[in-house]
Amino acid sequence: MRFECQSGCTKCCEQQGFVYLTEDDIPRMAAFLAMTVATFEHRYVYRTRHLRRLRVPRHAQCEFLKEGGCSVHPAKPFQCAAFPFWPELVGNKKNWRKTSEWCPGIDKGDLVQIEKARSTAADMKAAHPHLY
């Protein structure tokens, strides 16, 4: 597998879907934005019994996606940092190829060791067990 994020690319952020959060993502992002956790949660987080995700209006992009890219990049959610090594992509050639149709970083750069990709996918699965 090859993957190297391409400078200035925001294609992954432009895809339809939710950004799920770990409990660690919330205080990290709040601190980056100089907010209390409570304020950050009230403004940006939607919770259910088993899931936490960023609030986004239907058919809209992530609120943190700005013209210059991700405005919280240094503190971005684990889901974003793990891309494209998600369980549904790692080890599934069809899904990997389909994702490569819109992601210019796939098949670029140095080889990524499959163990590292699988480890990231396993961490994603462990972080969001109700998604997988």
Side-chain angles (χ1 to χ4, degrees), residues 2-114:
R2 292 183 187 275
F3 175 74
E4 182 175 71
C5 218
Q6 303 298 293
S7 181
C9 179
T10 58
K11 295 288 184 188
C12 53
C13 303
E14 296 166 12
Q15 302 306 304
Q16 192 68 33
F18 293 117
V19 175
Y20 294 96
L21 303 170
T22 66
E23 287 296 340
D24 292 337
D25 290 334
I26 295 169
R28 184 180 62 253
M29 293 176 74
F32 181 79
L33 295 169
M35 302 174 112
T36 66
V37 169
T39 301
F40 178 84
E41 283 212 43
H42 179 75
R43 184 168 178 189
Y44 296 111
V45 179
Y46 175 78
R47 278 187 182 263
T48 66
R49 184 170 164 204
H50 298 291
L51 299 171
R52 296 155 308 279
R53 65 172 171 81
L54 288 177
R55 292 178 186 273
V56 288
R58 186 170 286 171
H59 306 296
Q61 303 302 328
C62 175
E63 186 166 343
F64 299 113
L65 179 59
K66 305 298 182 197
E67 190 171 317
C70 177
S71 63
V72 294
H73 192 270
K76 66 186 173 185
F78 174 65
Q79 176 183 342
C80 301
F83 181 81
F85 304 116
W86 294 350
E88 62 269 30
L89 300 178
V90 172
N92 186 316
K93 289 181 183 182
K94 180 181 174 187
N95 287 348
W96 186 259
R97 270 194 301 270
K98 187 172 182 176
T99 302
S100 75
E101 292 173 8
W102 56 261
C103 176
I106 290 180
D107 297 328
K108 301 277 189 331
D110 294 334
L111 281 172
V112 175
Q113 295 298 317
I114 192 64

